[in-house]
Amino acid sequence: MADRKRKNKKDTSSKAKASSKKAGEEAKEAVDAQPLETVKKPKKEKTKILFVSPEAQPFAVSGGLGEVVGSLPVSLAKKRKYDVSVVIPLYRGVPGEYREKMTFVKYFYFLLGWRSQYCGIFKLRQNSVTYYFIDNEYYFDRDGLYGYFDDGERFAYFCRAVMEMFPQLGYYPDIVHTNDWQTALVPIYNMSIYHLGFKSIFTIHNVAYQGKYGLEILGDVFGLPAEAGAFVEYGGCINLMKGAIECSSMVTTVSPSYAGELQDPYFGEGLDSIIRKNSFKMRGILNGISTEVYDPSKDKEITAKYTADDLSGKVKDKAELQNIFGLPQNPDIPVIAIISRLVHHKGMQIIQNVMDQILQENVQVVILGVGDPGYENYFRWIQGIYPGKLCANISFNGGLSHRMYAGADMFLMPSLSEPCGLAQMIACRYGTVPIVRETGGLRDSIHDCTMGEGNGFTFQGTDAGGLIDAVRRAIGLYWRKEDWENLKKYIMGLDFGWTKSAAEYDRLYADVLEG
Ligand code: GLC
């Protein structure tokens, strides 16, 4: 494909320019002589990109990865040169409204190790993207997406099904873009068994989850030949993410800062040396968010809609938020929201260390999330100590999160590591000022406004001091009413959509096809 593209370029640029004026006139006459309907421009072949992902909004989503694979392909499909597809498992939770619109393409059986497995393919076209769904009830007709004893086998099945789907459908993408460990076996299978001509890109959304398994299941479960051990073996076990890094043409991650951090032992979770070795094919591209899903002027989840020009709706949303969380309905008290997985690397320990100090201020704090039982119980406990000041909703609730983005004044996100993070960008979109720790994508998207231009408040350390200082600076500005209004309007106008990042993916795809 790359060669063909390059050849085309030559034909249409240098050669065409060099042709004489006379030849041009002759050609024009010949065209003029033809009946109109037969004059067609030769169609340029589109570059076929397939995203392989364990989740994609709106079909199945458990976090940032699903949101990104929900919005990036749609944004790329707007460029006419791409033919964009996405493939995910057909989980039980895929809503009926989408199942009804799907068409059944075909079924076949293939071998995963020694197991002969059924594979059904369903298809759905939406927003100029073709979605393929891999159907196997034994593996995917379950309540959740992940967290089962056989996740390794389930996603090996998924990857192998994707590889088998190509000849079955006669569909051969130019680029296969895989995401996180669940899809890592696609480039590994291709390098060790299938040898199809596509270029592969592997994106690391979170290095903390690598897909590690005992070496004894290399052939039995993954169906890999012994030679593939050279790609996947690391630290005495199978490490699928390591294998994908080795076998892909390019590796990306979701912010420039995290691309650098991954090469550091503090962030690399043991893979830093592999990433350093492969740094020549590594790029960091900041995620965008869906500006359709997150739009306070259209959001159906929120009580009152609003824009940067008329923020009166946000005042109503704040009152409603205080009502939902059972806090005094006072428009003047600043409300700080936390929406997060309640786990260590999201900075929950720092929050725990400073919560008493934060609550000495004239603030209200609202929390939404699930996670480690230790943190869940901590928040349940502290709301009893500070009734009317702090309220925690220990659950995962999409609709409520929108009402929190809209109704809060500040958004706290003190992650110890954050590959990209979407919540800080969503908060900006709703005019809710982010307070973040300077790491990964948080550092790339939020800049401190204390000393001048910026779109939030930031701090560096992992001790309580930095966080409480940033919160106090935010509260200080909050009381300078005019400056605070201006900051809200400014951050709502920032462009966190996909346009800029899609252009970087555009360059990445061009480079990978050239390479
Ligand atoms: C993971 C990361 C998060 C990122 C998301 C999408 O969930 O933890 O930082 O925004 O993937 O790439």
Side-chain angles (χ1 to χ4, degrees):
M1 177 68 199
D3 287 341
R4 190 158 67 233
K5 266 187 75 177
R6 242 177 277 148
K7 232 170 122 208
N8 281 346
K9 244 194 222 159
K10 248 192 209 157
D11 289 343
T12 50
S13 57
S14 51
K15 243 205 250 164
K17 268 185 212 150
S19 63
S20 72
K21 203 179 156 203
K22 194 168 162 251
E25 277 160 10
E26 275 167 13
K28 188 173 176 294
E29 274 163 27
V31 168
D32 286 347
Q34 289 180 50
L36 261 180
E37 54 274 24
T38 63
V39 186
K40 276 191 189 149
K41 272 194 188 165
K43 259 198 180 168
K44 236 179 141 189
E45 218 181 290
K46 294 187 174 194
T47 301
K48 297 196 247 352
I49 304 172
L50 174 68
F51 281 82
V52 186
S53 175
E55 50 183 270
Q57 212 175 32
F59 311 106
V61 56
S62 80
L65 166 61
E67 294 204 31
V68 167
V69 181
S71 50
L72 171 61
V74 174
S75 166
L76 288 167
K78 289 187 184 137
K79 297 183 195 287
R80 272 205 250 136
K81 60 181 170 183
Y82 294 135
D83 169 343
V84 185
S85 301
V86 175
V87 58
I88 65 165
L90 185 61
Y91 300 103
R92 178 189 293 172
V94 174
E97 59 178 298
Y98 301 114
R99 284 178 187 265
E100 278 165 21
K101 289 188 209 146
M102 288 177 196
T103 50
F104 174 71
V105 182
K106 72 185 298 188
Y107 77 89
F108 51 88
Y109 284 80
F110 66 85
L111 278 179
L112 178 67
W114 51 266
R115 300 161 185 80
S116 175
Q117 297 293 18
Y118 169 91
C119 177
I121 309 274
F122 284 82
K123 188 174 167 178
L124 173 63
R125 183 106 179 131
Q126 188 164 292
N127 296 325
S128 307
V129 174
T130 303
Y131 293 90
Y132 292 103
F133 298 85
I134 302 288
D135 175 34
N136 179 299
E137 293 190 355
Y138 170 64
Y139 288 124
F140 301 125
D141 188 19
R142 306 186 189 186
D143 280 342
L145 308 189
Y146 325 117
Y148 297 97
F149 75 98
D150 58 347
D151 277 359
E153 183 181 329
R154 294 170 73 225
F155 288 100
Y157 163 83
F158 173 58
C159 292
R160 195 89 192 216
V162 171
M163 296 307 297
E164 295 285 335
M165 182 182 93
F166 298 137
Q168 290 286 345
L169 300 190
Y171 160 67
Y172 292 97
D174 303 298
I175 296 172
V176 175
H177 192 151
T178 50
N179 294 275
D180 271 355
W181 77 266
Q182 296 93 333
T183 63
L185 275 161
V186 168
I188 299 168
Y189 281 143
N190 198 41
M191 189 70 104
S192 51
I193 301 171
Y194 292 86
H195 308 290
L196 297 178
F198 62 75
K199 300 287 181 176
S200 55
I201 295 175
F202 180 68
T203 296
I204 302 174
H205 293 261
N206 197 337
V207 80
Y209 308 101
Q210 298 173 3
K212 292 185 189 173
Y213 297 94
L215 283 169
E216 66 284 359
I217 65 169
L218 186 79
D220 182 85
V221 174
F222 294 151
L224 283 167
E227 309 84 76
F231 301 132
V232 296
E233 195 178 335
Y234 189 59
C237 63
I238 295 173
N239 186 317
L240 296 178
M241 189 173 267
K242 184 259 183 186
I245 294 169
E246 300 278 19
C247 295
S248 295
S249 328
M250 285 272 204
V251 179
T252 74
T253 188
V254 287
S255 70
S257 283
Y258 195 60
E261 289 170 354
L262 280 175
Q263 303 181 36
D264 180 320
Y266 178 80
F267 292 97
E269 301 273 347
L271 280 184
D272 47 288
S273 65
I274 299 296
I275 294 169
R276 280 199 299 278
K277 194 181 99 190
N278 286 281
S279 60
F280 67 96
K281 57 179 177 183
M282 182 88 190
R283 266 183 217 186
I285 304 178
L286 194 70
N287 284 331
I289 54 169
S290 165
T291 48
E292 301 278 308
V293 175
Y294 300 109
D295 181 352
S297 73
K298 295 199 189 112
D299 194 333
K300 292 195 187 79
E301 303 283 355
I302 65 180
T303 310
K305 303 185 199 341
Y306 59 95
T307 62
D309 294 331
D310 178 4
L311 281 161
S312 52
K314 192 166 170 61
V315 179
K316 291 188 192 134
D317 288 323
K318 178 167 174 177
E320 176 60 15
L321 179 65
Q322 288 168 323
N323 181 32
I324 294 171
F325 278 87
L327 299 171
Q329 279 192 21
N330 182 336
D332 291 330
I333 300 180
V335 176
I336 304 176
I338 299 167
I339 305 173
S340 177
R341 262 183 300 131
L342 308 179
V343 295
H344 184 71
H345 82 262
K346 292 286 183 186
M348 288 303 130
Q349 190 58 51
I350 320 181
I351 291 189
Q352 196 167 325
N353 295 347
V354 295
M355 196 47 99
D356 275 309
Q357 289 183 66
I358 292 178
L359 292 167
Q360 301 313 311
E361 305 286 334
N362 185 22
V363 291
Q364 294 176 345
V365 179
V366 289
I367 296 152
L368 175 68
V370 288
D372 289 347
Y375 293 120
E376 292 185 354
N377 288 336
Y378 164 74
F379 286 117
R380 285 189 188 106
W381 170 78
I382 190 132
Q383 72 178 347
I385 307 286
Y386 292 95
K389 286 209 89 171
L390 179 143
C391 184
N393 184 321
I394 307 300
S395 72
F396 181 83
N397 183 332
L400 181 56
S401 74
H402 284 238
R403 290 192 279 282
M404 290 171 74
Y405 286 122
D409 298 294
M410 299 162 195
F411 187 83
L412 182 56
M413 197 166 174
S415 310
L416 294 179
S417 72
E418 194 59 74
C420 176
L422 305 176
Q424 77 282 13
M425 306 187 200
I426 300 169
C428 283
R429 196 96 178 115
Y430 284 80
T432 300
V433 178
I435 304 169
V436 306
R437 190 168 164 271
E438 291 172 24
T439 183
L442 295 175
R443 178 164 58 200
D444 295 337
S445 56
I446 305 300
H447 307 286
D448 196 277
C449 66
T450 312
M451 303 301 281
E453 254 187 52
N455 56 347
F457 293 87
T458 71
F459 64 98
Q460 286 178 346
T462 53
D463 58 284
L467 194 157
I468 189 70
D469 182 57
V471 168
R472 286 189 182 134
R473 278 185 282 129
I475 295 172
L477 193 78
Y478 177 85
W479 290 110
R480 283 164 35 203
K481 283 292 169 196
E482 204 185 318
D483 291 341
W484 188 258
E485 284 302 298
N486 287 339
L487 179 60
K488 280 198 282 191
K489 286 178 202 284
Y490 170 67
I491 65 177
M492 284 181 77
L494 295 173
D495 179 11
F496 283 119
W498 274 105
T499 320
K500 199 165 150 260
S501 302
E504 286 187 51
Y505 277 105
D506 211 17
R507 267 194 297 280
L508 169 78
Y509 295 146
D511 291 349
V512 84
L513 289 172
E514 289 284 320

